[in-house]
Amino acid sequence: MQKVKFSLVLAAVTLMLTCGFVQKKGKWQNLFNGKDFSGWHAYNKQGQPISDKWQIEDGAMVLTGRGGGDLVTDAEFENFELEMEWKISEKGNSGVMWGVVEDKKYCCPYSTGPEMQVLDDAKHPDALAGKNGNHKAGSLYDMIPPADFSAVKPAGEWNKAKMKIDKGQGTFWLNGKQMVTFPTKGPEWDKLVANSKFKTWEGFAKFAKGKIAIQDHGDKVWFRNIRIREL
């Protein structure tokens, strides 16, 4: 009888430990320490110094002017939640991409990585381009417009953004509001790409695993409190 009880207890403990392991998500990791560019490098220039057009100011990484180049993480990610705060200058434009692959045949992160738009909707002309607002802040750029055009804060104010890419499904939030949700593979995704400017781009959205990128679009932009959790 004691052996039976011990076996049952052991089985129960094993089940609890196993379930706990399966359900436990990864821990949040800071992608930016607020002090320097550790963990980041210029696209296709790993090991080289980052341009002084990128600066650290009050715990934020700041593109101060055109020519800084796009930045990418040293690490690659596949299924994850990404959180950050961004602030754009007046008439400014930038973006955050995922699934980015570095290769000399690709000019830029947007050659391979889909984009969460960062924009001054009120004064940048790109807000009026595209279809149905799919170039506005919080959009899946040139593919799906944000659900709430009023969610974005004006130029010069901080916005809190979240991106989740997990097992074929993507979702963006801006200032606590869900902006877009979409498949990241399959027929529906293929249709989104086919109806976008990226339809003939060889490497666009072809890589499930890649780097996170922050865009130099020539306008001043700030990013801070960047963290990620692998799923």
Side-chain angles (χ1 to χ4, degrees):
M1 180 62 74
Q2 291 298 324
K3 287 184 178 180
V4 172
K5 287 183 178 180
F6 177 78
S7 297
L8 289 173
V9 171
L10 182 61
V13 170
T14 302
L15 180 61
M16 285 189 291
L17 289 174
T18 301
C19 289
F21 176 78
V22 170
Q23 294 173 1
K24 186 177 180 181
K25 293 183 177 181
K27 294 182 179 180
W28 286 103
Q29 306 170 58
N30 290 326
L31 280 182
F32 171 52
N33 62 20
K35 299 176 182 179
D36 57 41
F37 291 100
S38 298
W40 295 81
H41 62 273
Y43 181 74
N44 273 341
K45 295 181 179 179
Q46 189 159 13
Q48 299 181 37
I50 290 174
S51 168
D52 61 7
K53 294 290 180 68
W54 283 100
Q55 295 288 322
I56 306 296
E57 298 178 4
D58 299 323
M61 60 169 70
V62 187
L63 176 67
T64 60
R66 184 180 297 277
D70 303 312
L71 299 187
V72 295
T73 54
D74 293 344
E76 294 185 327
F77 304 94
E78 185 170 0
N79 299 307
F80 61 87
E81 287 181 316
L82 173 71
E83 292 185 346
M84 65 172 62
E85 291 177 271
W86 61 259
K87 180 171 65 172
I88 192 70
S89 57
E90 188 173 313
K91 299 181 182 179
N93 188 340
S94 184
V96 180
M97 295 149 216
W98 82 96
V100 171
V101 169
E102 291 183 282
D103 191 302
K104 294 299 182 183
K105 69 180 179 180
Y106 301 127
C107 75
C108 325
Y110 61 73
S111 296
T112 54
E115 176 182 348
M116 177 172 64
Q117 175 74 308
V118 170
L119 197 74
D120 174 12
D121 281 0
K123 294 189 176 180
H124 195 285
D126 204 27
L128 302 177
K131 300 174 184 176
N132 303 317
N134 67 2
H135 286 199
K136 290 181 179 287
S139 65
L140 175 60
Y141 181 73
D142 205 60
M143 300 171 81
I144 304 177
D148 186 346
F149 295 145
S150 69
V152 66
K153 295 183 179 180
E157 294 188 23
W158 286 104
N159 291 271
K160 186 171 184 179
K162 179 178 177 180
M163 174 191 296
K164 182 178 181 181
I165 306 296
D166 189 27
K167 301 176 182 65
Q169 188 69 24
T171 309
F172 298 165
W173 292 263
L174 188 61
N175 298 318
K177 296 183 179 180
Q178 184 172 305
M179 304 300 276
V180 296
T181 185
F182 52 91
T184 59
K185 58 184 178 181
E188 289 184 47
W189 174 256
D190 293 342
K191 185 177 179 180
L192 286 171
V193 175
N195 289 326
S196 75
K197 64 192 291 183
F198 311 111
K199 60 184 177 182
T200 61
W201 294 22
E202 176 190 353
F204 182 77
K206 294 294 192 295
F207 304 94
K209 189 173 185 178
K211 300 181 178 184
I212 307 297
I214 290 174
Q215 187 181 41
D216 170 5
H217 204 281
D219 303 312
K220 191 169 185 180
V221 63
W222 297 253
F223 297 94
R224 70 181 183 186
N225 296 329
I226 309 171
R227 64 177 191 162
I228 198 164
R229 177 169 62 173
E230 295 191 75
L231 302 175

